[in-house]
Amino acid sequence: MKNIPDQKKSAKRPFFLRMLDYVEIIGNKLPHPVTLFAGLALMVVLISWIGYLTGTSAQHPVDGEMIYAKSLLSGEGVRWMYENILHNFLKFPPLGYVLVVMVGIGAAEGSGLFSTMIRALVLGAPKRLITAAIVLAGVVSGLAVEAGYVILIPLGAMIFHALGRHPMAGLAAAFTGVSGGFGANFFIGSVDPILSGISESAAQMIIPDIVVNPAVNYYFMIASSFVVLLAGTWVTEKIVEPRLGAYKGTAERMPIEQMTLKEKKGLRNAGWALLVTLAILAITVIPENGLFRDPESGSVLHSPFFRGIIIGILLMFFFPALAYGITVGTIRNDKDLVRHIGKSMSTMGGYIVLVFFAAQFVYFFNYSNLGIIFAIKGANTLQSIGLTGIPLIVGFVILSAFINMFMGSASAKWAIMAPVFVPMLMLIDPPYHPGLTQAAFRIGDSLTNLITPMMSYFALIVTFAEKYDRRYGIGTIISTMLPYTIILGIAWIALLVVWMLLGVPLGPDGPLYIG
């Protein structure tokens, strides 16, 4: 935890940087994340009881059903908690994703593949492009969000550390790209059909035969990728790194030494192993009768391949690690391999404890209906203001960003918000296409993913940061990421406004207006 800076020195720093220092100081005074989530879970129990006594409710925008706050202190609520505490922990999505992918990561770390890859990158890549490369990799990782959070974010910190730069700046650059990858990408990912399906259902309340295809935001997503890339790189190098200064922690820096011939051969073999793995996976989805396509519709987006993508990610680390380890001699037998994986898993104890309490908070919140009620009331408030046109779209981006601070699941939020805002914007003059409302939602949701502890992987990111300084906490992450949220928010909203003024389609069959 940082001490409050000396007044004379502090006065010389720009106001914005001084403000971030105090955000970090205040944030780091918060309890340990485990204690914080445990306290929040208990707070939800209490607030749910108060909400039940006061009749807190909201009307569901689709079926008109009244949704009431459910008390966790009622007989039913207490029984539910007793029966589901274990289930909450086991079904919390990040837990399974992290532990599964750590099998591949453990093999890659233990074999030395990661360290050699980083050295190769440091020795071969222009240093001026490292930041941009990390942000760009984060954007592309939006195709498999779990891999971005679990793999790329710690890798960004490791690369910066190896270069003698502050590891937190590398972590922040990667985090920005991964979070931006939700609303910006060069490819259509697994989240796109989920959101477009919700948008289509909402739009059919007005036009029963309307179709909203998964690529409805594709053109805008490509343009947004460049905004995330430029803004993320600029904030990292002009604001975050200067504020962080030189890294003075004790974490061991990977030595940047010339690679041996054996290591170069190991990398080549790892590359061939990766190509073979990718080729085998491609064979399962490219042919019309591919094994991992949807057996009924033949779809790739709605298929076992994307539903099980985390296994594909594991294999893409495991087999190259195995090839590298056998080549250089770090994996001589099965015992070596198991030892490497076990060592990596042993570092996850603190995260597992944290996930236990974080899961209780999230699922207590869902059971109580408080999250749904807050989301509906927030949406109704903006709707009642009477904004139209560009101000309404900008206001909706801000509302989406605000609600995201309290409700982590993107699909759950959109399922609540789409039935209100998609029809509403279809009924104004001129009538906006559902794809525009969806694009605005994705911007807002991406922005505050960077600073909300409600984001499923936020606790994991704190764990990554603690590797470089045990004093780093929630305040450190929020204060480091806040400049990205502000600058990226300004740039991204500006892009959306210009897009609307020019009248450019958002994607294939994705016009701005209905007509």
Side-chain angles (χ1 to χ4, degrees):
M1 188 188 308
K2 291 186 175 181
N3 294 323
I4 296 178
D6 178 83
Q7 286 187 350
K8 291 183 179 180
K9 292 182 180 179
S10 179
K12 296 178 182 178
R13 289 163 59 80
F15 171 77
F16 183 64
L17 296 183
R18 283 184 280 140
M19 181 189 73
L20 294 180
D21 288 339
Y22 284 97
V23 168
E24 178 173 0
I25 292 167
I26 294 170
N28 283 345
K29 289 184 180 296
L30 292 171
H32 188 281
V34 169
T35 307
L36 183 62
F37 278 115
L40 287 173
L42 292 175
M43 187 180 299
V44 168
V45 172
L46 178 62
I47 294 176
S48 71
W49 175 64
I50 296 173
Y52 171 76
L53 292 180
T54 57
T56 301
S57 63
Q59 186 175 30
H60 198 287
V62 176
D63 55 21
E65 180 184 356
M66 292 301 299
I67 300 173
Y68 295 92
K70 295 170 65 177
S71 173
L72 284 157
L73 288 179
S74 65
E76 180 185 353
V78 171
R79 286 190 294 271
W80 180 88
M81 287 190 289
Y82 183 80
E83 292 178 9
N84 286 277
I85 283 178
L86 175 60
H87 187 55
N88 295 342
F89 172 59
L90 295 177
K91 72 179 181 180
F92 196 54
L95 177 65
Y97 290 136
V98 169
L99 294 183
V100 168
V101 83
M102 285 303 293
V103 173
I105 291 177
E109 284 183 336
S111 68
L113 176 59
F114 271 169
S115 61
T116 304
M117 285 175 56
I118 291 172
R119 284 165 53 206
L121 177 62
V122 170
L123 292 169
K127 292 185 179 181
R128 290 180 56 85
L129 299 180
I130 291 294
T131 305
I134 289 174
V135 176
L136 181 60
V139 171
V140 176
S141 76
L143 292 171
V145 178
E146 296 79 16
Y149 283 113
V150 175
I151 298 166
L152 185 65
I153 290 176
L155 191 59
M158 292 164 65
I159 291 173
F160 266 51
H161 192 206
L163 286 169
R165 299 169 67 177
H166 202 294
M168 277 298 295
L171 180 148
F175 189 8
T176 300
V178 173
S179 180
F182 174 71
N185 214 308
F186 295 99
F187 308 97
I188 301 299
S190 57
V191 72
D192 295 280
I194 296 174
L195 298 182
S196 64
I198 296 172
S199 299
E200 182 177 290
S201 298
Q204 287 175 348
M205 290 191 290
I206 306 299
I207 304 176
D209 60 349
I210 193 171
V211 175
V212 181
N213 71 75
V216 70
N217 294 149
Y218 186 50
Y219 303 153
F220 185 73
M221 286 168 58
I222 294 176
S224 297
S225 298
F226 290 102
V227 171
V228 175
L229 174 61
L230 295 174
T233 301
W234 186 85
V235 172
T236 300
E237 298 185 343
K238 301 299 182 181
I239 298 178
V240 171
E241 274 198 284
R243 172 178 176 265
L244 290 170
Y247 175 62
K248 299 179 181 179
T250 59
E252 182 180 355
R253 183 192 299 183
M254 291 185 181
I256 305 177
E257 303 172 352
Q258 293 295 327
M259 291 187 297
T260 65
L261 291 176
K262 184 177 286 188
E263 288 173 333
K264 291 180 180 179
K265 183 179 179 181
L267 279 183
R268 285 196 299 270
N269 289 344
W272 283 114
L274 177 61
L275 288 176
V276 171
T277 303
L278 290 173
I280 293 173
L281 290 174
I283 291 173
T284 67
V285 292
I286 292 178
E288 292 186 3
N289 60 344
L291 178 65
F292 287 163
R293 283 190 177 226
D294 184 271
E296 296 182 2
S297 67
S299 170
V300 175
L301 292 176
H302 301 274
S303 69
F305 178 78
F306 273 108
R307 290 195 293 270
I309 190 64
I310 199 67
I311 302 301
I313 299 298
L314 183 158
L315 297 177
M316 285 187 282
F317 278 93
F318 182 82
F319 288 119
L322 191 60
Y324 178 86
I326 292 173
T327 302
V328 301
T330 53
I331 298 178
R332 294 184 174 87
N333 50 49
D334 60 319
K335 294 179 181 179
D336 287 340
L337 180 61
V338 173
R339 185 175 66 253
H340 294 322
I341 297 173
K343 183 178 179 181
S344 180
M345 286 287 190
S346 68
T347 65
M348 302 304 295
Y351 176 68
I352 293 172
V353 173
L354 190 150
V355 162
F356 176 81
F357 290 97
Q360 307 314 319
F361 166 58
V362 170
Y363 288 113
F364 284 11
F365 201 58
N366 291 344
Y367 174 86
S368 68
N369 285 338
L370 293 176
I372 295 177
I373 292 171
F374 290 164
I376 293 174
K377 286 185 176 294
N380 290 340
T381 298
L382 185 59
Q383 185 179 10
S384 67
I385 294 175
L387 294 175
T388 58
I390 289 176
L392 174 59
I393 293 295
V394 173
F396 180 60
V397 171
I398 295 171
L399 176 67
S400 300
F402 177 75
I403 291 178
N404 188 49
M405 295 292 293
F406 306 98
M407 192 175 181
S409 170
S411 58
K413 283 193 300 291
W414 190 227
I416 293 298
M417 299 175 72
V420 174
F421 287 98
V422 168
M424 182 179 71
L425 267 67
M426 292 173 67
L427 294 172
I428 65 174
D429 187 23
Y432 287 118
H433 191 273
L436 176 61
T437 315
Q438 178 179 297
F441 165 75
R442 295 179 76 162
I443 293 174
D445 193 78
S446 297
L447 293 175
T448 46
N449 269 344
L450 297 170
I451 58 173
T452 172
M454 283 297 295
M455 195 270 292
S456 298
Y457 292 93
F458 198 88
L460 181 63
I461 293 167
V462 173
T463 303
F464 291 148
E466 288 177 339
K467 174 181 177 181
Y468 297 96
D469 193 325
R470 292 190 178 277
R471 296 171 297 178
Y472 289 161
I474 292 175
T476 305
I477 303 299
I478 293 176
S479 66
T480 301
M481 301 310 302
L482 188 58
Y484 294 97
T485 293
I486 295 172
I487 301 300
L488 184 56
I490 294 171
W492 214 339
I493 290 174
L495 173 67
L496 182 61
V497 170
V498 171
W499 203 281
M500 293 176 65
L501 292 174
L502 295 176
V504 181
L506 295 159
D509 195 27
L512 293 177
Y513 308 104
I514 296 174

